[in-house]
Amino acid sequence: MTGRSKLGLVVVLILGAAALGFGYWRYREDAAPAKPAAPPPAVPVVTAEVKQEDVPIILKGVGTVQALNKALIRSQVTGYLESVNFTEGQSVKKGDVLARIDPRIYQAKLDTAEANLGRDQALLTNRQVNLQRNEPLLQRGYATEQSVTGEKAQISQSENTVKGDQAAIEYAKTELDFATLRAPFDGVTGIRLIDIGNVIQPSNPGGIVVLTQVQPISTVFTLPTDDIPQVQAAFEKGQVQTTIYNQAGTRKLDEGPLLLIDNEAKPKSGTVQLKVNTLNAKRQLWPGAFVNAEVTTSVVKGALTIPTDAVQQNDQGLYVFVVGSDHKVAIRSIKVGQRVRGVALVSDGLKAGETVVVQGQYSLVPGTEVVAAKPGQVTDTTTATAGMLP
């Protein structure tokens, strides 16, 4: 064997050994067990416990505030507006003077009527004296029947004239009193509608001011006709409490017992009007304002409640994410009786003491491990539908 042949053989042996070593290394690598993947981190969520408490059953309606009484203050006599005795927006009491009309004409009418009464009363007295003198003379033949009868007729005429004079005095007094305009009830004055110095008369359509009574005050709201039997049943048991909230439904304004249910439904809307009077002690209700009314018809003892943000919905109905003892979530179908002021009454599907997810559902699927967090620690607090019921 030549030297070149020996060198070739050595090269072949080296390459074969390398191939065997590489193959053995690949075999060892493939045979080695794979490292387990790290579990995903727990998802931070806001949770709440299912509570058991007494829950009022509430019917909600939309309505408007109305003044208990409202009046356009206008003159019943014609005259020169001498003074306005109120400040716009002022609270006034019944009987307070609001304005005065020049009274001189009406005072003169009263003086004339009283003078006429005095004249006619004197004439009546004189005729009565004459009759008293002539009646005895008639019995003794010194007076005629005709003269006595005439005197009696004159007395009757004078008596009727006196009555007319007395009526004229009352009329003149009334006109004079109308020259002073007073508040017919406790209330708040609005914007003045006429200035001092103008001639005011009953035919003036604007009047002087609008006076509204706001303490107490009324609220008229509507409920669907299907809800009315429930309200009637509550009425039969006693007072039905009604709470008034602002238009957004976020702030309580007043409360009071329901006053009445209207005697007919609105055919176009299928609703019935209801009315409640409240004291309006803090004057947070103003006529014409839109409000929300909540009528409490009954109370459910020991009801289960959760925050409304926990309730999710998909095409199969309502559900919540329930957190198990292993900190993993599961989907649970539920039934909700009502949702009022951020609290949902659960009629089926949950037990007291269970934990539900309130915020953070967007990234959950059944079996996801979660960790309780504060609202500020959950980046997305949406409660939009996430996942589907199995």
Side-chain angles (χ1 to χ4, degrees):
M1 179 178 296
T2 65
R4 182 174 293 180
S5 299
K6 290 180 180 180
L7 180 60
L9 179 61
V10 171
V11 172
V12 170
L13 290 174
I14 292 173
L15 291 176
L20 288 173
F22 179 75
Y24 179 74
W25 176 78
R26 287 297 305 270
Y27 169 76
R28 291 292 302 272
E29 284 291 315
D30 293 342
K35 295 182 180 179
V43 177
V45 294
V46 179
T47 62
E49 183 179 325
V50 179
K51 296 181 179 180
Q52 189 168 22
E53 56 190 346
D54 295 344
V55 178
I57 299 301
I58 293 173
L59 302 175
K60 296 190 289 184
V62 178
T64 55
V65 181
Q66 297 180 356
L68 189 66
N69 288 296
K70 180 179 179 179
L72 173 61
I73 305 302
R74 56 195 306 171
S75 175
Q76 293 180 267
V77 294
T78 299
Y80 167 84
L81 186 59
E82 189 174 67
S83 67
V84 172
N85 301 75
F86 66 89
T87 302
E88 294 169 311
Q90 175 186 349
S91 295
V92 298
K93 296 293 185 180
K94 180 180 180 180
D96 285 354
V97 176
L98 301 179
R100 295 183 187 276
I101 296 172
D102 186 356
R104 289 175 294 176
I105 294 176
Y106 302 103
Q107 182 63 56
K109 287 184 178 181
L110 176 60
D111 294 341
T112 300
E114 289 176 342
N116 292 337
L117 175 62
R119 178 198 62 200
D120 294 331
Q121 185 67 58
L123 181 59
L124 172 61
T125 301
N126 183 56
R127 287 174 173 174
Q128 289 173 335
V129 170
N130 290 336
L131 179 62
Q132 292 173 357
R133 183 183 65 248
N134 290 333
E135 281 182 328
L137 295 177
L138 176 63
Q139 295 175 358
R140 289 181 290 180
Y142 296 113
T144 65
E145 182 72 27
Q146 183 178 1
S147 63
V148 172
T149 301
E151 288 175 350
K152 289 180 179 181
Q154 290 176 341
I155 289 174
S156 178
Q157 180 181 6
S158 293
E159 288 175 341
N160 289 327
T161 301
V162 168
K163 289 180 180 180
D165 293 339
Q166 291 171 339
I169 289 174
E170 292 302 318
Y171 185 82
K173 285 182 178 179
T174 301
E175 281 193 315
L176 180 60
D177 185 62
F178 284 161
T180 301
L181 285 76
R182 296 180 173 86
F185 48 78
D186 296 352
V188 179
T189 59
I191 297 174
R192 189 177 64 188
L193 303 176
I194 192 171
D195 296 327
I196 297 172
N198 285 276
V199 174
I200 189 169
Q201 51 191 351
S203 60
N204 186 337
I208 295 176
V209 69
V210 174
L211 181 67
T212 56
Q213 186 173 2
V214 297
Q215 290 179 309
I217 202 166
S218 299
T219 299
V220 176
F221 61 98
T222 60
L223 289 177
T225 52
D226 290 344
D227 289 343
I228 299 304
Q230 189 174 340
V231 180
Q232 289 176 319
F235 248 138
E236 293 175 358
K237 298 177 182 179
Q239 287 188 345
V240 179
Q241 191 68 12
T242 304
T243 306
I244 308 300
Y245 291 86
N246 63 348
Q247 188 174 3
T250 57
R251 184 165 56 91
K252 178 180 175 181
L253 302 178
D254 212 345
E255 62 182 357
L258 187 66
L259 181 63
L260 63 89
I261 304 171
D262 200 5
N263 57 5
E264 63 178 357
K266 303 295 182 182
K268 292 184 178 180
S269 62
T271 60
V272 177
Q273 288 187 319
L274 299 92
K275 185 176 184 180
V276 57
N277 289 344
T278 56
L279 295 178
N280 198 23
K282 296 182 180 179
R283 288 180 61 170
Q284 298 186 88
L285 294 173
W286 286 95
F290 290 102
V291 293
N292 288 281
E294 297 185 357
V295 181
T296 302
T297 59
S298 61
V299 176
V300 178
K301 301 292 184 179
L304 301 180
T305 62
I306 59 175
T308 54
D309 283 347
V311 181
Q312 304 292 291
Q313 184 171 9
N314 58 22
D315 57 355
Q316 298 183 44
L318 302 179
Y319 68 94
V320 294
F321 284 99
V322 179
V323 182
S325 58
D326 57 356
H327 304 292
K328 294 182 179 180
V329 297
I331 287 178
R332 185 86 58 81
S333 298
I334 63 170
K335 293 182 180 179
V336 174
Q338 71 172 17
R339 304 187 206 191
V340 176
R341 317 217 65 75
V343 177
L345 187 155
V346 179
S347 57
D348 187 37
L350 292 174
K351 296 179 181 179
E354 289 188 304
T355 301
V356 296
V357 177
V358 177
Q359 293 179 1
Q361 299 97 323
Y362 67 99
S363 59
L364 299 182
V365 295
T368 301
E369 185 177 354
V370 297
V371 60
K374 296 180 179 180
Q377 297 174 325
V378 178
T379 56
D380 185 357
T381 58
T382 179
T383 57
T385 300
M388 299 290 288
L389 289 175

